[in-house]
Amino acid sequence: MLNLERLRTLDALARHGSVSGAAEGLHVTTSAVSQQMSKLEREVGQQLVAKNGRGVRLTDAGQLLADHAARILSQVELAQADIEAQRGQVVGEVRIGAFPTAARGLFPGAVSRLRAAHPDLRVRTRELEPELGIRAVMRGDLDLAVVLDWSNRRLPVPAGLAQAQLVDDAPDVAMPAAHPLAARREVDLEEFADDEWVSWPEGEFCHDWLVFTLRARGIEPRISHLAAEHHTQLALIAAGLGVCVTPRLGRGPVPEGVVLVPVRQRMLRHVYAVWRADADRRPSIRAAVEVLREAATERPAPTAS
């Protein structure tokens, strides 16, 4: 009989394309992955993995079994969801990831409410950028991820994932109080063509969005400073080192000397939750989505100096 954990290892190897990637995804050592694959090969009596340069590749037999493994694991997920749904109780464990401002703006209220309403449910959270969160859900490392995209640049959501809208977040432009546009009620992004920008790190979805959006308006952005945390970005603005787009979700106190001005062009961050469709009937998933929606609705208004 095929061992489920070994099939899970094969599935991870197929998804990640490397032993190290599979080990990271499964939170085990590379030697543990190799040992599980060796045992699986003995069980089926065929070679499943072959060396490919410094890495490995699946043989034809390995790919065939990996395809079956993906379907088997999906059926196991469905069985677990059905059992939970039949019991009708929110129990067990739910693992939730979110990009940083959503983690800061939604997790404290949502997780506290979830624990109070369902004391037998263990909740684990972590910060992850949107694309990484989607991959983690697809791999089974997370049960639920809070992700985002922008009204003019959507984030591809793979087939097999369900999603629920949480909130639309309208950002502002943050600028030093001495900036010529600081007294305006609204601004256009084109008006910052000559300004230096503070942005998210390269490769992050929001950094790519900023470059895409400015170039679409005929602006080649002068990005001088990169910072992952919004409070770091705002500290740089307070020092007079540029301007930035700052979201309202998860925004803390704005430093003295920084002014926030809404953008005239309608720009929205769409914030939503994604989870595997085959886990849709799990009461814990439904409960988590519900409290995230409530936290998004009841979040406090952003503060500004």
Side-chain angles (χ1 to χ4, degrees):
M1 183 178 294
L2 294 173
N3 180 281
L4 188 61
E5 287 308 308
R6 288 166 199 154
L7 289 179
R8 197 180 302 279
T9 302
L10 176 63
D11 179 67
L13 189 58
R15 288 180 182 276
H16 292 277
S18 69
V19 172
S20 59
E24 182 179 355
L26 294 170
H27 306 293
V28 299
T29 64
T30 55
S31 62
V33 171
S34 298
Q35 290 170 13
Q36 289 284 63
M37 291 306 302
S38 295
K39 291 177 181 178
L40 186 58
E41 286 181 330
R42 289 197 294 272
E43 284 180 349
V44 300
Q46 292 193 64
Q47 184 179 3
L48 303 176
V49 178
K51 290 186 178 180
N52 184 28
R54 293 186 176 181
V56 297
R57 63 172 178 82
L58 295 182
T59 63
D60 290 343
Q63 188 59 60
L64 177 65
L65 186 56
D67 292 340
H68 283 290
R71 291 192 291 271
I72 290 168
L73 293 171
S74 179
Q75 284 300 122
V76 170
E77 184 79 40
L78 281 170
Q80 291 174 333
D82 283 344
I83 288 295
E84 285 189 27
Q86 195 274 336
R87 291 175 62 187
Q89 297 176 336
V90 182
V91 297
E93 179 179 87
V94 64
R95 300 159 299 168
I96 311 173
F99 59 94
T101 52
R104 186 163 62 248
L106 300 179
F107 277 175
V111 175
S112 295
R113 186 172 308 197
L114 197 56
R115 291 179 63 180
H118 308 287
D120 292 328
L121 178 68
R122 182 187 180 197
V123 185
R124 296 169 57 191
T125 66
R126 60 186 293 197
E127 284 189 3
L128 277 178
E129 287 300 313
E131 289 142 318
L132 296 178
I134 284 179
R135 289 179 206 160
V137 171
M138 291 292 293
R139 291 196 305 264
D141 295 339
L142 288 177
D143 299 303
L144 186 76
V146 179
V147 301
L148 70 89
D149 58 24
W150 293 82
S151 50
N152 64 331
R153 192 174 179 89
R154 306 313 297 260
L155 179 69
V157 176
L161 293 185
Q163 56 183 287
Q165 180 75 15
L166 298 179
V167 67
D168 285 338
D169 188 33
D172 303 306
V173 176
M175 64 193 79
H179 194 283
L181 301 179
R184 294 272 295 276
R185 297 187 63 180
E186 291 182 322
V187 291
D188 294 319
L189 290 184
E190 292 88 337
E191 297 178 276
F192 299 94
D194 297 326
D195 282 271
E196 292 183 87
W197 283 87
V198 178
S199 177
W200 299 268
E202 293 179 3
E204 289 191 7
F205 186 78
C206 287
H207 173 89
D208 294 343
W209 166 83
L210 179 64
V211 173
F212 170 83
T213 301
L214 293 175
R215 285 177 176 169
R217 287 166 168 77
I219 302 170
E220 184 58 38
R222 297 168 55 208
I223 298 177
S224 300
H225 308 285
L226 302 175
E229 295 292 335
H230 284 280
H231 60 262
T232 305
Q233 294 180 4
L234 293 177
L236 293 169
I237 304 303
L241 299 177
V243 300
C244 74
V245 172
T246 181
R248 298 176 185 178
L249 176 63
R251 181 189 295 166
V254 177
E256 184 177 352
V258 174
V259 172
L260 305 175
V261 182
V263 179
R264 182 176 291 111
Q265 304 105 323
R266 188 67 170 164
M267 294 192 308
L268 289 176
R269 296 198 316 170
H270 305 296
V271 181
Y272 50 100
V274 298
W275 62 95
R276 288 174 63 107
D278 51 22
D280 193 54
R281 292 189 288 273
R282 288 180 57 191
S284 57
I285 295 289
R286 294 182 176 275
V289 172
E290 181 181 350
V291 298
L292 285 167
R293 279 178 166 155
E294 292 171 354
T297 301
E298 298 172 3
R299 62 195 172 102
T303 56
S305 297

